[in-house]
């Protein structure tokens, strides 16, 4: 059975199509003994196994068992056809490069995990391989507690057996308590410093208030003294004028 014509990028010439399956040749062979017509190897061998159809489907010439490979020119033209990858990745390699593309490049091909020799049985799409490797149970992992290197799937067994994680958690708890006490001590020192600063500020405000009251009292006394002097001067002037008036009357 050949390859469907629709899978090729460009129109395929008629001499590259099998006359039996009407598809593009796969592993073609030629009946050089008689008519020199070419067919897919699988298609023509099925006809040879049937006594009633051991004749060329094109010209009815008898078929022989000694079928041979076609000419080099036809073979090269066939392999140069561009075909759409049947895995659905969208690539269009040449027919000769299709096996290599499927084996090494096609993102939609299923491949075994690189850790299969370690025990991983997963087969994943090539495009998803990096995500699988990152989460594969058989990748190397390092114990957070003691630095021991083992497979990821064996990490729990290691930590349970060695009790290294329990020791790590206990040490972390101690360190956390020490850090907490340190923070509390620093906080207490900060409170003392803030209290001292607040007391100094209150003393400064009190001194400023006392000074303001003192200055206000001095200003009041000065104002009162000025008014008293002005009144005395006014009385003196008035008394002088009265005296002068009395003298004039006597005269």
């Amino acid at each position: 059975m050949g390859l469907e014509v629709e899978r090729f990028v460009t129109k395929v010439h008629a001499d590259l199509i099998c006359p039996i399956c009407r598809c593009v040749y796969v592993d073609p062979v030629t009946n050089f003994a008689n008519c020199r017509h070419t067919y897919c190897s699988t298609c023509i061998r099925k006809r040879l196994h049937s006594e009633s159809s051991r004749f060329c489907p094109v010209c009815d010439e008898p078929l022989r068992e000694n079928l041979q490979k076609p000419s080099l020119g036809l073979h090269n033209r066939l392999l140069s056809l561009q075909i759409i990858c049947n895995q659905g990745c969208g690539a269009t390699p040449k027919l000769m490069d299709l096996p290599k593309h499927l084996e090494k490049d096609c993102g939609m091909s299923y491949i075994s995990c690189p850790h299969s020799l370690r025990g991983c049985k997963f087969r994943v799409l090539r495009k998803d391989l990096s995500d699988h490797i990152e989460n594969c149970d058989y990748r190397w992992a390092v114990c957070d507690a003691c630095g021991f290197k083992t497979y990821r799937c064996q990490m729990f067994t290691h930590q349970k057996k060695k009790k290294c994680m329990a020791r790590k958690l206990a040490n972390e708890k101690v360190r956390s308590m020490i850090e907490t006490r340190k923070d509390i001590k620093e906080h207490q020192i900060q409170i003392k410093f803030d209290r001292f600063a607040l007391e100094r500020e209150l003393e400064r405000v009190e001194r400023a208030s006392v000074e303001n009251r003192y200055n206000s009292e001095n200003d009041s006394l000065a104002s009162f003294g000025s008014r008293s002097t002005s009144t005395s001067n006014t009385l003196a002037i008035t008394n002088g004028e009265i005296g002068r008036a009395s003298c004039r009357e006597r005269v």
Side-chain angles (χ1 to χ4, degrees), residues 16-226:
L16 298 178
I17 297 177
C18 174
I20 299 176
C21 65
R22 301 297 179 183
C23 294
V24 178
Y25 294 131
V26 171
D27 190 19
V29 291
T30 301
N31 183 18
F32 281 107
N34 288 329
C35 60
R36 305 180 71 84
H37 286 130
T38 303
Y39 330 92
C40 292
S41 175
T42 303
C43 295
I44 197 62
R45 295 195 187 284
K46 285 182 179 179
R47 290 184 73 91
L48 287 172
H49 292 161
S50 175
E51 293 294 335
S52 60
S53 59
R54 294 174 65 88
F55 297 93
C56 176
V58 179
C59 62
D60 286 334
E61 286 289 329
L63 296 174
R64 301 288 185 269
E65 293 285 351
N66 59 339
L67 300 172
Q68 301 177 22
K69 294 292 182 182
S71 64
L72 182 62
L74 185 144
H75 184 73
N76 290 338
R77 287 174 58 209
L78 181 64
L79 295 181
S80 297
L81 293 175
Q82 277 189 290
I83 186 171
I84 301 172
C85 176
N86 60 316
Q87 299 295 334
C89 70
T92 55
K94 291 183 178 181
L95 189 58
M96 69 174 71
D97 297 328
L98 182 60
K100 179 182 176 181
H101 165 74
L102 293 174
E103 181 182 356
K104 296 186 177 181
D105 300 322
C106 181
M108 301 302 291
S109 294
Y110 278 89
I111 58 175
S112 298
C113 174
H115 303 150
S116 58
L117 294 178
R118 300 177 188 173
C120 183
K121 304 299 181 182
F122 277 94
R123 287 180 58 83
V124 297
L125 293 175
R126 181 177 278 108
K127 68 182 184 67
D128 298 330
L129 182 60
S130 58
D131 292 336
H132 169 73
I133 291 176
E134 185 177 349
N135 297 288
C136 180
D137 286 339
Y138 288 87
R139 68 176 176 84
W140 287 114
V142 178
C143 178
D144 294 334
C146 66
F148 180 76
K149 186 177 181 181
T150 185
Y151 298 157
R152 184 186 180 192
C153 59
Q154 297 177 355
M155 185 59 67
F156 177 77
T157 302
H158 158 73
Q159 292 178 344
K160 183 178 180 180
K161 182 178 180 180
K162 298 296 183 180
K163 298 182 179 180
C164 53
M165 184 57 70
R167 289 196 297 270
K168 179 188 177 184
L169 294 175
N171 292 335
E172 288 180 350
K173 185 176 180 180
V174 171
R175 284 195 296 269
S176 177
M177 292 175 63
I178 294 174
E179 290 294 328
T180 301
R181 291 175 181 174
K182 181 180 178 182
D183 293 340
I184 292 174
K185 186 175 181 180
E186 291 177 353
H187 180 63
Q188 290 173 340
I189 293 173
Q190 184 64 39
I191 289 175
K192 291 180 180 179
F193 176 81
D194 292 342
R195 181 181 297 171
F196 177 79
L198 179 60
E199 291 174 352
R200 298 289 82 77
E201 179 66 17
L202 290 175
E203 290 176 359
R204 185 190 67 78
V205 171
E206 183 64 23
R207 285 196 302 270
S209 177
V210 170
E211 290 176 359
N212 289 336
R213 286 198 303 270
Y214 178 77
N215 292 333
S216 178
E217 291 174 356
N218 287 340
D219 291 341
S220 298
L221 292 174
S223 176
F224 179 76
S226 176

